[in-house]
Amino acid sequence: NPLALDVNFNLECKPGFDIGTKSIYTSGIVFPGQPHTLVIKAGDMTNFYNLNCSNGVSGNLIVTVNGPVTFQGVTPGSLTPTISGNQYSYSIGNFGTVNPNLDFRLDFLTDTTAIAGNSICVSAVVTPTAGDNSTANNNFSTCIPVVNSYDPNNKIVYPGVVSPGFTDYITYTINFQNTGNAPAFNIRLEDTLSPFL
C-alpha cells in the first residue's frame, strides 16, 4: 500500500546467449489429402520474453521431417530453407533478426495413403552450442499423429419383402456414423432405386 503502477524494470542480458527450439506443432489437422502448416518456434529464446540477447550470433537450424507427407512450400513471410530430401536447413546470419514465432513455417500435404495411427515425426537442431547458456533446448523432437475419419454405414428397408403389385410405402433408412478420430470430409451418400419401383 499504496499500489504502484507502471514501474519499469531495466533488464540486461547476461553474458552468452540462449538459442533453441521452444515448440513444434501443426496449424491444421494432419489428415489424409489435407494441407497443414508445420510451425517451428525457434531462435533467440529471450525473444519470447520481448528481449534480444542473441543479437550478432550466427548459426543453423536443421529441421528433419519423417512420415507420410509431401512438402508444398514455405508459408508466405517465412524464411526459405535449403532442402535436401526430408531435411530443411536454415543458415542464420544473425539470430537477433529472426522472428521465432513466424520465420520457420513449412507447408505440407498429408499423403492420401496415410492412415490413423501413422505419425509425422519432426526434429529441430539449433547450433552453435559454444557460448550457449542452455543447450538443453538445442534439440527438440516430437511426433504428430495422423487422424482420419472412419465411416461405416448401412441401408435398411421396411418392409423387406413385398409381393408384386404392392402399393404401400417402402421406407429406406441410411445409417451413417463417423467412428474415426477426426471429422469426415466430402461425404456423399448415393442410392439407386430399382426400376421396378
Side-chain angles (χ1 to χ4, degrees), residues 39-145:
V39 180
I40 301 100
K41 291 197 171 188
D44 179 355
M45 300 305 282
T46 65
N47 192 268
F48 291 104
Y49 307 99
N50 296 318
L51 296 172
N52 188 353
C53 296
S54 297
N55 195 36
V57 175
S58 62
N60 297 293
L61 168 64
I62 299 174
V63 178
T64 305
V65 180
N66 291 301
V69 291
T70 303
F71 179 65
Q72 300 291 291
V74 298
T75 303
S78 296
L79 298 177
T80 302
T82 300
I83 303 169
S84 177
N86 64 339
Q87 202 168 71
Y88 307 85
S89 301
Y90 298 88
S91 180
I92 307 299
N94 181 0
F95 274 103
T97 63
V98 167
N99 183 334
N101 292 305
L102 301 174
D103 282 349
F104 308 113
R105 294 177 178 238
L106 304 169
D107 296 333
F108 288 93
L109 181 68
T110 306
D111 296 347
T112 56
T113 56
I115 59 172
N118 290 156
S119 292
I120 311 304
C121 292
V122 184
S123 69
V125 178
V126 180
T127 58
T129 55
D132 196 332
N133 291 326
S134 175
T135 58
N137 56 22
N138 289 33
N139 296 293
F140 192 99
S141 297
T142 189
C143 288
I144 301 154

Side-chain angles (χ1 to χ4, degrees), residues 124-188:
V125 178
V126 180
T127 58
T129 55
D132 196 332
N133 291 326
S134 175
T135 58
N137 56 22
N138 289 33
N139 296 293
F140 192 99
S141 297
T142 189
C143 288
I144 301 154
V146 174
V147 295
N148 203 348
S149 58
Y150 177 68
D151 316 314
N153 58 76
N154 70 347
K155 178 179 71 174
I156 55 177
V157 61
Y158 180 81
V161 177
V162 295
S163 301
F166 182 79
T167 58
D168 204 348
Y169 287 100
I170 297 177
T171 303
Y172 285 90
T173 303
I174 297 175
N175 294 307
F176 176 84
Q177 179 183 16
N178 178 11
T179 61
N181 58 0
F185 292 91
N186 301 320
I187 303 306
R188 182 170 182 255

